[in-house]
Amino acid sequence: VKEAKTLGTLSGATETSRLAYLYRAHVVMGNHSLVAKEINKNSPTVLQVIQLHSTYLTSSEEQKAMALEKLNEIVEDGSMASDKTFPLIGAEMYLAAGKKKEALKLIYNGSTLDMMGLTIQILLGEDRVDLAQQILKKMIQIEEDDTLTQLAGAWINVVQGGNKVSEALDTYQDLQEKFGSSIMLLNSIAVCQIKQA
């Protein structure tokens, strides 16, 4: 969030990408009122979808159904097909609704590390380690040293078990040294240690 704010106002698609990153972070941090207040009908469609996702996460069942219906309309009309951020946001929203199949349709052939990482999470949840490994190979070709690529490899290693768990533990500990402790990293390390016991 700090980094996105320090960039200031950019132009065109770069500004939309910056704002999308910023508002996605606010949604994850639970700042839904800020997202609702700052994004309006005149905002780019991808930002409106972020607001839709935020609304979905905080609404009644009736409003959630309406938000999903709106997302379905956007997906079906295809106007956002070329946007690199939309499929990820749409997939996150479908996942929040328990619609893994729809989420996977949006991101399975994704070209960004974010989409590939989320694809791997879904595939591992469906016990498709074989397909997750194929996606990981693509991620490694794009950027082997990227944090998300390393995390995805660790996720797969944990699911595979056996000697792979120690590789996952090494990855998590390396990330902990590099970035410091976080709840997610500490939990991941604990899972590895439990699996090794």
Side-chain angles (χ1 to χ4, degrees), residues 89-106:
I89 300 161
E92 289 170 347
M93 192 168 158
Y94 279 135
L95 285 176
K99 298 180 175 288
K100 290 181 182 179
K101 183 178 177 183
E102 288 83 352
L104 208 48
K105 280 182 187 178
L106 276 179

Side-chain angles (χ1 to χ4, degrees), residues 92-154:
E92 289 170 347
M93 192 168 158
Y94 279 135
L95 285 176
K99 298 180 175 288
K100 290 181 182 179
K101 183 178 177 183
E102 288 83 352
L104 208 48
K105 280 182 187 178
L106 276 179
I107 59 170
Y108 189 74
N109 291 315
S111 60
T112 68
L113 292 178
D114 287 340
M115 284 190 257
M116 291 180 197
L118 188 55
T119 301
I120 287 174
Q121 286 181 336
I122 296 169
L123 291 171
L124 291 177
E126 296 297 309
D127 202 25
R128 291 303 311 261
V129 177
D130 56 327
L131 295 177
Q133 288 174 316
Q134 291 174 12
I135 303 294
L136 178 62
K137 286 179 185 175
K138 292 178 187 176
M139 291 178 77
I140 289 170
Q141 289 173 347
I142 293 170
E143 184 58 61
E144 183 174 6
D145 294 330
D146 187 86
T147 302
L148 187 54
T149 304
Q150 292 177 26
L151 282 171

Side-chain angles (χ1 to χ4, degrees), residues 11-38:
S11 60
T14 308
E15 175 64 2
T16 301
S17 293
R18 181 188 76 84
L19 289 172
Y21 179 84
L22 181 65
Y23 290 127
R24 283 181 59 219
H26 280 298
V27 169
V28 170
M29 293 186 304
N31 298 333
H32 302 287
S33 59
L34 180 127
V35 172
K37 184 176 88 176
E38 294 188 7

